[in-house]
Amino acid sequence: MKKQKLTKTEKSWILYDIANSAFIMILTATIPIYFRGLATEAGIDATHATSIWGTSTSVAIMILAILSPILGALADYQNMKKRIFVFFLCLGIGGGVAFTIASNWMVFLIFFIVARIGYSACNILYDAMLIDVTTDEKMDSVSSVGYALGYIGSCIPFVAGILLILLKPFGLSTVSATRISFVITMVWWFVLSIPLLKNVKQTHYLRPKKNVVRHSFRRLWFTFLKLKRDRNLLYFIIGYFFYIDGVYTIISMATTYGGEVGIDSTQMILALLLTQIVAFPCALLSAKLAKRFGTLRMIKAFIICYCIICIFGYNLDTATEFWILAFAVGMCQGGVQALSRSHFGKLIPKKEASEYFGFFDIFGKFADFLGPLILSLCALLLGSSKYGVLSLIVLFIIGFLLISKSDKTANTEEK
C-alpha cells in the first residue's frame, strides 16, 4: 500500500504539538526550581514552598477539570472551536510573559495558574481538531507524528534555555538567564501556532443555536447519558483514566523520586532530555505497529511495559538504573498517549468531538491530580516512594482489564 503524505492541514496541526510541548518541558524542569528560588528569597522554607507549588498546580488542574466539558460543548458549534482556542492561546502566552517579569512569588503563582489554564484549555481544543484535519484511517499516524515531533521539537528551546542558564553569556545572572529562557519558550509557542491558526478549519460542527450556553449545558447531560449507554466507549474512557493515571504519575514524579534515591539534579535533567529524544522514534513506530496489530492491542502492550517499569522503579537505587528507567519510559509514553488520543477520536461522534474531548480531558486531569497523591500517601505511610511506584501496577492492571472489556464489547457489537 502506498504511503500517504501529510497534507498541509495535517502538518499545520502537528506543528502546534511542537509549539506547546516546549511549555510542558519548562513546567516540568525549570519553572518549579525558579519558583522555589523566589519563595526562598521571600523567607519561605523549602518544604512550605513545595507545598504551595503543589497546591497551585492542583488549583489549575481542578479549574480545568470543571471548565473542560463546558468549553468542549461550546466549541462544537460552527466557527467556535478556533475562536475559543485563540482566546486561551492568548491567555496562556500572556500569563507566561507576565510570570516571567513577576518578581513576587505570589504574583508569579497567579500568572502561572493563568498560563497553565490557557495551555490546558488549548490542548482540549487542539485534540478535538484532530478529527477536523484527518481521516479515521490516518488518525493513529497523524496523532503519533504530532507527539513524536512534539517530544523532539520541545528540546530545542529547552536546551537553548538551559545553555543560557549554565553559561550565563553577556554577564547575565542566573535569574535573568532563566527569565530569558521563559521568553524563548513563549515566542516558540506563539510562532509555531500560526500555521494552525491559518490553515486548520472546523469541518465537523453543530449549527448555531439561539441560546448557545443553555443548549450546551443540556447537551452535556445528554452526552453523559450517551456515554453510559455506549459500553465500548465507557469501558475505554474509564480504563484510560486508570492507566493514564500511572503514566502521568511516572512522568510528573520522576525527578522527585530520583532525588529521593540520590540522583543529582543535572543527571535528572539530562535523563529527562533522553526520555524526549527516545520518545520521538518510538511514537512514530507505535503508529506503524498499531496499523499492523491494532490500536487497542498496542495500548495494552504499552500498559504491560509500564507494569515492568514499575517493578524496575521499585528496585531502582543507582544513577545508571535511573537512566535505564528514563529510556524505558521514553519508549512507551509517546506511543500510549498518541494512540489513546487517536483511538478515542475514532470512537466519538465527529460533530460533538470537542465536547467528548472535554470529558476525555477531565479523566486525564483527575488522573494527573490523583496519581501523585497516591505516591505521596505511600511515602508518608510507608516511609518510601518506592512502594508508591510499585502500587501504580494496580492502576495499570485495572486499566488493562477495562480496555480489554471495551475491545470485547466492540467485537460483540460488530457481530
Side-chain angles (χ1 to χ4, degrees):
M1 185 178 174
K2 189 178 178 182
K3 186 178 177 182
Q4 292 178 296
K5 290 184 178 180
L6 293 171
T7 65
K8 183 179 180 180
T9 305
E10 288 167 345
K11 289 176 182 175
S12 299
W13 181 86
I14 286 166
L15 275 173
Y16 185 75
D17 230 323
I18 304 172
N20 72 354
S21 296
F23 179 76
I24 209 67
M25 279 289 283
I26 62 169
L27 182 62
T28 305
T30 52
I31 290 179
I33 296 169
Y34 179 78
F35 168 74
R36 198 177 301 121
L38 282 178
T40 304
E41 195 177 291
I44 299 170
D45 65 82
T47 305
H48 191 200
T50 301
S51 175
I52 293 170
W53 179 254
T55 302
S56 67
T57 301
S58 297
V59 167
I61 289 168
M62 293 302 291
I63 290 172
L64 252 298
I66 295 165
L67 287 178
S68 294
I70 301 168
L71 292 176
L74 288 170
D76 281 326
Y77 292 103
Q78 189 174 10
N79 299 324
M80 288 296 290
K81 196 178 289 184
K82 195 184 288 186
R83 288 178 188 175
I84 298 173
F85 177 86
V86 169
F87 172 80
F88 282 101
L89 180 65
C90 293
L91 195 71
I93 295 174
V97 172
F99 75 58
T100 297
I101 59 177
S103 55
N104 177 278
W105 69 269
M106 195 175 292
V107 176
F108 177 92
L109 267 189
I110 291 168
F111 285 118
F112 163 74
I113 291 171
V114 169
R116 181 75 190 260
I117 289 170
Y119 162 81
S120 300
C122 281
N123 274 4
I124 299 167
L125 302 162
Y126 169 69
D127 286 346
M129 288 177 192
L130 178 61
I131 59 99
D132 294 312
V133 300
T134 192
T135 61
D136 282 358
E137 292 73 28
K138 293 178 70 179
M139 212 170 276
D140 286 339
S141 175
V142 173
S143 181
S144 297
V145 171
Y147 265 107
L149 294 180
Y151 282 123
I152 201 71
S154 64
C155 294
I156 298 170
F158 180 71
V159 169
I162 291 296
L163 288 175
L164 267 178
I165 295 166
L166 294 176
L167 300 177
K168 301 182 191 67
F170 315 114
L172 291 170
S173 65
T174 302
V175 171
S176 298
T178 304
R179 286 177 171 175
I180 293 171
S181 75
F182 293 163
V183 171
I184 290 170
T185 300
M186 298 308 150
V187 171
W188 176 274
W189 185 2
F190 171 73
V191 171
L192 293 184
S193 300
I194 294 172
L196 181 146
L197 299 177
K198 287 177 62 179
N199 301 319
V200 173
K201 309 294 181 188
Q202 187 173 355
T203 57
H204 298 282
Y205 52 79
L206 299 172
R207 293 291 177 185
K209 301 283 183 181
K210 284 184 178 180
N211 299 304
V212 172
V213 175
R214 189 175 68 183
H215 195 260
S216 296
F217 277 101
R218 286 182 62 196
R219 281 179 45 232
L220 284 175
W221 174 247
F222 288 123
T223 299
F224 178 74
L225 293 177
K226 282 187 280 185
L227 275 173
K228 285 178 66 178
R229 288 195 298 268
D230 188 340
R231 291 181 300 159
N232 178 23
L233 184 56
L234 184 63
Y235 284 134
F236 175 77
I237 199 169
I238 297 174
Y240 168 80
F241 167 78
F242 282 101
Y243 73 75
I244 211 68
D245 191 339
V247 172
Y248 284 165
T249 304
I250 288 171
I251 294 169
S252 63
M253 300 300 287
T255 52
T256 302
Y257 181 59
E260 186 178 311
V261 297
I263 314 301
D264 69 73
S265 56
T266 303
Q267 290 219 48
M268 284 193 286
I269 287 175
L270 291 174
L272 179 64
L273 278 173
L274 174 69
T275 300
Q276 300 293 107
I277 293 166
V278 171
F280 168 62
C282 291
L284 294 175
L285 179 61
S286 70
K288 293 183 179 180
L289 292 173
K291 202 167 189 177
R292 182 173 179 181
F293 299 108
T295 307
L296 270 181
R297 280 186 183 176
M298 285 308 305
I299 292 173
K300 287 191 277 189
F302 283 127
I303 292 173
I304 292 169
C305 290
Y306 268 108
C307 289
I308 297 168
I309 286 169
C310 289
I311 295 168
F312 184 83
Y314 172 74
N315 294 294
L316 184 151
D317 55 14
T318 68
T320 302
E321 290 173 347
F322 189 82
W323 280 89
I324 294 170
L325 183 72
F327 187 90
V329 170
M331 287 178 64
C332 299
Q333 74 176 40
V336 75
Q337 288 177 292
L339 294 181
S340 297
R341 176 170 66 183
S342 59
H343 183 70
F344 186 76
K346 286 182 276 187
L347 291 176
I348 61 175
K350 299 294 184 283
K351 288 184 179 180
E352 300 169 272
S354 299
E355 184 179 347
Y356 275 85
F357 269 105
F359 279 102
F360 187 71
D361 191 71
I362 281 181
F363 283 85
K365 287 290 177 290
F366 275 112
D368 198 16
F369 175 76
L370 291 175
L373 181 62
I374 292 169
L375 207 65
S376 299
L377 283 174
C378 286
L380 182 66
L381 299 175
L382 302 174
S384 173
S385 294
K386 281 179 177 284
Y387 300 104
V389 172
L390 192 62
S391 71
L392 295 179
I393 288 179
V394 176
L395 299 176
F396 287 117
I397 290 172
I398 294 171
F400 184 93
L401 293 174
L402 284 167
I403 66 167
S404 296
K405 203 167 178 63
S406 169
D407 198 14
K408 287 177 184 176
T409 303
N411 291 335
T412 303
E413 288 173 354
E414 285 170 7
K415 290 179 182 178

